[in-house]
mmCIF file with all atom_site columns, all heavy atoms in Angstrom:
data_model
loop_
_atom_site.group_PDB
_atom_site.id
_atom_site.type_symbol
_atom_site.label_atom_id
_atom_site.label_alt_id
_atom_site.label_comp_id
_atom_site.label_asym_id
_atom_site.label_entity_id
_atom_site.label_seq_id
_atom_site.pdbx_PDB_ins_code
_atom_site.Cartn_x
_atom_site.Cartn_y
_atom_site.Cartn_z
_atom_site.occupancy
_atom_site.B_iso_or_equiv
_atom_site.pdbx_formal_charge
_atom_site.auth_seq_id
_atom_site.auth_comp_id
_atom_site.auth_asym_id
_atom_site.auth_atom_id
_atom_site.pdbx_PDB_model_num
ATOM 1  N N   . PRO A 1 89 ? -1.738 -6.781 -0.833  1.00 97.00 ? 89 PRO A N   1
ATOM 2  C CA  . PRO A 1 89 ? -2.140 -5.955 -1.913  1.00 97.00 ? 89 PRO A CA  1
ATOM 3  C C   . PRO A 1 89 ? -2.238 -6.573 -3.258  1.00 97.00 ? 89 PRO A C   1
ATOM 4  O O   . PRO A 1 89 ? -1.353 -7.494 -3.541  1.00 97.00 ? 89 PRO A O   1
ATOM 5  C CB  . PRO A 1 89 ? -1.172 -4.756 -1.852  1.00 97.00 ? 89 PRO A CB  1
ATOM 6  C CG  . PRO A 1 89 ? -0.034 -5.181 -1.176  1.00 97.00 ? 89 PRO A CG  1
ATOM 7  C CD  . PRO A 1 89 ? -0.426 -6.275 -0.286  1.00 97.00 ? 89 PRO A CD  1
ATOM 8  N N   . CYS A 1 90 ? -3.184 -6.231 -4.060  1.00 95.00 ? 90 CYS A N   1
ATOM 9  C CA  . CYS A 1 90 ? -3.325 -6.744 -5.415  1.00 95.00 ? 90 CYS A CA  1
ATOM 10 C C   . CYS A 1 90 ? -2.107 -6.121 -6.254  1.00 95.00 ? 90 CYS A C   1
ATOM 11 O O   . CYS A 1 90 ? -1.424 -5.298 -5.798  1.00 95.00 ? 90 CYS A O   1
ATOM 12 C CB  . CYS A 1 90 ? -4.618 -6.382 -6.107  1.00 95.00 ? 90 CYS A CB  1
ATOM 13 S SG  . CYS A 1 90 ? -4.843 -4.607 -6.496  1.00 95.00 ? 90 CYS A SG  1
ATOM 14 N N   . GLY A 1 91 ? -1.981 -6.555 -7.436  1.00 93.00 ? 91 GLY A N   1
ATOM 15 C CA  . GLY A 1 91 ? -0.863 -6.205 -8.366  1.00 93.00 ? 91 GLY A CA  1
ATOM 16 C C   . GLY A 1 91 ? -0.969 -4.641 -8.555  1.00 93.00 ? 91 GLY A C   1
ATOM 17 O O   . GLY A 1 91 ? 0.040  -3.973 -8.581  1.00 93.00 ? 91 GLY A O   1
ATOM 18 N N   . ARG A 1 92 ? -2.145 -4.105 -8.885  1.00 94.00 ? 92 ARG A N   1
ATOM 19 C CA  . ARG A 1 92 ? -2.261 -2.704 -9.139  1.00 94.00 ? 92 ARG A CA  1
ATOM 20 C C   . ARG A 1 92 ? -1.866 -1.920 -7.890  1.00 94.00 ? 92 ARG A C   1
ATOM 21 O O   . ARG A 1 92 ? -1.219 -0.904 -7.973  1.00 94.00 ? 92 ARG A O   1
ATOM 22 C CB  . ARG A 1 92 ? -3.774 -2.400 -9.577  1.00 94.00 ? 92 ARG A CB  1
ATOM 23 C CG  . ARG A 1 92 ? -3.975 -0.901 -9.800  1.00 94.00 ? 92 ARG A CG  1
ATOM 24 C CD  . ARG A 1 92 ? -5.439 -0.633 -10.263 1.00 94.00 ? 92 ARG A CD  1
ATOM 25 N NE  . ARG A 1 92 ? -6.261 -0.861 -9.011  1.00 94.00 ? 92 ARG A NE  1
ATOM 26 C CZ  . ARG A 1 92 ? -7.452 -0.468 -8.995  1.00 94.00 ? 92 ARG A CZ  1
ATOM 27 N NH1 . ARG A 1 92 ? -8.133 0.282  -9.931  1.00 94.00 ? 92 ARG A NH1 1
ATOM 28 N NH2 . ARG A 1 92 ? -8.184 -0.704 -7.845  1.00 94.00 ? 92 ARG A NH2 1
ATOM 29 N N   . CYS A 1 93 ? -2.336 -2.368 -6.750  1.00 96.00 ? 93 CYS A N   1
ATOM 30 C CA  . CYS A 1 93 ? -2.014 -1.600 -5.567  1.00 96.00 ? 93 CYS A CA  1
ATOM 31 C C   . CYS A 1 93 ? -0.469 -1.651 -5.272  1.00 96.00 ? 93 CYS A C   1
ATOM 32 O O   . CYS A 1 93 ? 0.146  -0.685 -4.848  1.00 96.00 ? 93 CYS A O   1
ATOM 33 C CB  . CYS A 1 93 ? -2.762 -2.215 -4.364  1.00 96.00 ? 93 CYS A CB  1
ATOM 34 S SG  . CYS A 1 93 ? -4.519 -1.697 -4.370  1.00 96.00 ? 93 CYS A SG  1
ATOM 35 N N   . ARG A 1 94 ? 0.077  -2.807 -5.538  1.00 96.00 ? 94 ARG A N   1
ATOM 36 C CA  . ARG A 1 94 ? 1.608  -2.937 -5.313  1.00 96.00 ? 94 ARG A CA  1
ATOM 37 C C   . ARG A 1 94 ? 2.298  -1.939 -6.160  1.00 96.00 ? 94 ARG A C   1
ATOM 38 O O   . ARG A 1 94 ? 3.247  -1.314 -5.674  1.00 96.00 ? 94 ARG A O   1
ATOM 39 C CB  . ARG A 1 94 ? 2.014  -4.336 -5.681  1.00 96.00 ? 94 ARG A CB  1
ATOM 40 C CG  . ARG A 1 94 ? 1.567  -5.470 -4.676  1.00 96.00 ? 94 ARG A CG  1
ATOM 41 C CD  . ARG A 1 94 ? 1.941  -6.819 -5.026  1.00 96.00 ? 94 ARG A CD  1
ATOM 42 N NE  . ARG A 1 94 ? 1.232  -7.720 -4.243  1.00 96.00 ? 94 ARG A NE  1
ATOM 43 C CZ  . ARG A 1 94 ? 1.656  -8.941 -3.941  1.00 96.00 ? 94 ARG A CZ  1
ATOM 44 N NH1 . ARG A 1 94 ? 2.887  -9.406 -4.326  1.00 96.00 ? 94 ARG A NH1 1
ATOM 45 N NH2 . ARG A 1 94 ? 0.981  -9.737 -3.151  1.00 96.00 ? 94 ARG A NH2 1
ATOM 46 N N   . GLN A 1 95 ? 1.919  -1.825 -7.442  1.00 94.00 ? 95 GLN A N   1
ATOM 47 C CA  . GLN A 1 95 ? 2.586  -0.863 -8.319  1.00 94.00 ? 95 GLN A CA  1
ATOM 48 C C   . GLN A 1 95 ? 2.422  0.620  -7.900  1.00 94.00 ? 95 GLN A C   1
ATOM 49 O O   . GLN A 1 95 ? 3.389  1.400  -7.785  1.00 94.00 ? 95 GLN A O   1
ATOM 50 C CB  . GLN A 1 95 ? 2.067  -0.984 -9.808  1.00 94.00 ? 95 GLN A CB  1
ATOM 51 C CG  . GLN A 1 95 ? 2.765  -0.040 -10.732 1.00 94.00 ? 95 GLN A CG  1
ATOM 52 C CD  . GLN A 1 95 ? 4.240  -0.471 -10.970 1.00 94.00 ? 95 GLN A CD  1
ATOM 53 O OE1 . GLN A 1 95 ? 4.500  -1.649 -11.318 1.00 94.00 ? 95 GLN A OE1 1
ATOM 54 N NE2 . GLN A 1 95 ? 5.186  0.486  -10.769 1.00 94.00 ? 95 GLN A NE2 1
ATOM 55 N N   . VAL A 1 96 ? 1.193  0.867  -7.516  1.00 96.00 ? 96 VAL A N   1
ATOM 56 C CA  . VAL A 1 96 ? 0.926  2.350  -7.112  1.00 96.00 ? 96 VAL A CA  1
ATOM 57 C C   . VAL A 1 96 ? 1.636  2.649  -5.805  1.00 96.00 ? 96 VAL A C   1
ATOM 58 O O   . VAL A 1 96 ? 2.281  3.690  -5.565  1.00 96.00 ? 96 VAL A O   1
ATOM 59 C CB  . VAL A 1 96 ? -0.630 2.590  -6.848  1.00 96.00 ? 96 VAL A CB  1
ATOM 60 C CG1 . VAL A 1 96 ? -0.866 4.016  -6.300  1.00 96.00 ? 96 VAL A CG1 1
ATOM 61 C CG2 . VAL A 1 96 ? -1.286 2.478  -8.354  1.00 96.00 ? 96 VAL A CG2 1
ATOM 62 N N   . LEU A 1 97 ? 1.602  1.638  -4.887  1.00 97.00 ? 97 LEU A N   1
ATOM 63 C CA  . LEU A 1 97 ? 2.269  1.867  -3.596  1.00 97.00 ? 97 LEU A CA  1
ATOM 64 C C   . LEU A 1 97 ? 3.807  2.091  -3.806  1.00 97.00 ? 97 LEU A C   1
ATOM 65 O O   . LEU A 1 97 ? 4.438  2.850  -3.124  1.00 97.00 ? 97 LEU A O   1
ATOM 66 C CB  . LEU A 1 97 ? 1.903  0.759  -2.543  1.00 97.00 ? 97 LEU A CB  1
ATOM 67 C CG  . LEU A 1 97 ? 0.542  0.634  -1.999  1.00 97.00 ? 97 LEU A CG  1
ATOM 68 C CD1 . LEU A 1 97 ? 0.238  -0.647 -1.365  1.00 97.00 ? 97 LEU A CD1 1
ATOM 69 C CD2 . LEU A 1 97 ? 0.204  1.833  -1.244  1.00 97.00 ? 97 LEU A CD2 1
ATOM 70 N N   . LEU A 1 98 ? 4.294  1.250  -4.610  1.00 95.00 ? 98 LEU A N   1
ATOM 71 C CA  . LEU A 1 98 ? 5.712  1.343  -4.964  1.00 95.00 ? 98 LEU A CA  1
ATOM 72 C C   . LEU A 1 98 ? 6.128  2.742  -5.590  1.00 95.00 ? 98 LEU A C   1
ATOM 73 O O   . LEU A 1 98 ? 7.064  3.402  -5.136  1.00 95.00 ? 98 LEU A O   1
ATOM 74 C CB  . LEU A 1 98 ? 6.219  0.198  -5.887  1.00 95.00 ? 98 LEU A CB  1
ATOM 75 C CG  . LEU A 1 98 ? 7.662  0.366  -6.342  1.00 95.00 ? 98 LEU A CG  1
ATOM 76 C CD1 . LEU A 1 98 ? 8.567  -0.004 -5.293  1.00 95.00 ? 98 LEU A CD1 1
ATOM 77 C CD2 . LEU A 1 98 ? 7.875  -0.612 -7.605  1.00 95.00 ? 98 LEU A CD2 1
#
Side-chain angles (χ1 to χ4, degrees):
C90 72
R92 179 180 69 164
C93 288
R94 291 175 191 212
Q95 183 67 56
V96 173
L97 291 169
L98 176 70

